[in-house]
Amino acid sequence: MINPILQIPNIQLAGDSTAVLNYQRDPRNYVTQLFGEQLPAIQNGFFNVHMSKGIIVQPHWHTNTTEMIVLISGEITTSVFDPFARRRINYHLKPGQVSIFPKGWFHWFVADTDDVHLLTIFDQPTPDIVLGADFLAATPPEVAHRAYCIDEEAYAQAVASIQNDAILGPPIGCVKSISDQVSPASKTKG
């Protein structure tokens, strides 16, 4: 069956993946996009992601799509939680290498170098995204205590500063330095 969108006269089959800014942390760390909203004929969609060393794309998952990371420049470490083996899998990527995040699997990635550029390509025209920040901020302190024996006051204080829209972290002004958060010794290949 032919996609009816492709039968529209004068269908546009080209787009600019830098025209729509999705998120900007600062001038060196930002995300642009090209999805069905910008290019109706597209059968997938993607983010252009630019990051500097130590920046993380916050933990999240997608309810409706598998994601593929294609590294263009720099180096990153991708991490995904395998819900069947109940373990984290890490991959250190260099330009031209790819990593897959299956639909529904919790994942994140960190820039290991400056001048990282990558594409996150989805198998749907628009991904649904559940951010870890949203999940943490929505969990009441009493639930965190009951489920995990976490001190309610400590949990409430820890999640109070979460910026739900901070796709690229850590948030500007974070007390802990980025270099303290990225340890080459902690990287493993799964």
Side-chain angles (χ1 to χ4, degrees):
M1 181 168 164
I2 294 177
N3 181 342
I5 291 175
L6 297 178
Q7 297 176 351
I8 296 172
N10 302 316
I11 182 73
Q12 182 164 339
L13 298 175
D16 182 351
S17 68
T18 66
V20 176
L21 182 65
N22 177 281
Y23 178 81
Q24 183 168 6
R25 180 184 183 274
D26 57 50
R28 294 179 54 211
N29 297 283
Y30 60 94
V31 179
T32 61
Q33 70 180 45
L34 185 64
F35 288 110
E37 185 177 312
Q38 291 89 42
L39 186 62
I42 200 167
Q43 294 297 301
N44 58 7
F46 64 94
F47 289 121
N48 258 316
V49 182
H50 298 267
M51 301 165 64
S52 54
K53 185 176 181 174
I55 297 298
I56 184 171
V57 168
Q58 75 158 288
H60 64 282
W61 67 93
H62 306 281
T63 60
N64 69 329
T65 185
T66 291
E67 179 178 2
M68 179 173 66
I69 302 294
V70 179
L71 189 60
I72 297 169
S73 64
E75 296 182 22
I76 65 171
T77 297
T78 66
S79 299
V80 61
F81 180 75
D82 177 342
F84 302 105
R86 300 187 53 78
R87 67 182 179 101
R88 184 184 72 223
I89 306 169
N90 299 318
Y91 295 101
H92 180 78
L93 302 183
K94 295 182 179 183
Q97 296 180 325
V98 303
S99 181
I100 302 292
F101 303 136
K103 178 172 58 175
W105 289 30
F106 194 63
H107 59 274
W108 61 93
F109 49 94
V110 177
D112 297 326
T113 63
D114 279 325
D115 302 316
V116 165
H117 179 207
L118 59 93
L119 300 178
T120 64
I121 303 171
F122 302 93
D123 63 359
Q124 295 291 322
T126 307
D128 289 334
I129 302 172
V130 180
L131 299 174
D134 293 333
F135 183 77
L136 290 171
T139 302
E142 60 273 11
V143 171
H145 174 72
R146 185 177 299 275
Y148 310 111
C149 200
I150 296 173
D151 179 83
E152 290 182 45
E153 287 183 31
Y155 184 82
Q157 184 178 2
V159 300
S161 66
I162 290 178
Q163 297 175 9
N164 294 4
D165 65 342
I167 294 168
L168 299 175
I172 293 173
C174 180
V175 177
K176 192 171 187 175
S177 75
I178 291 172
S179 62
D180 292 342
Q181 297 176 8
V182 180
S183 168
S186 69
K187 298 175 188 159
T188 59
K189 188 171 184 174

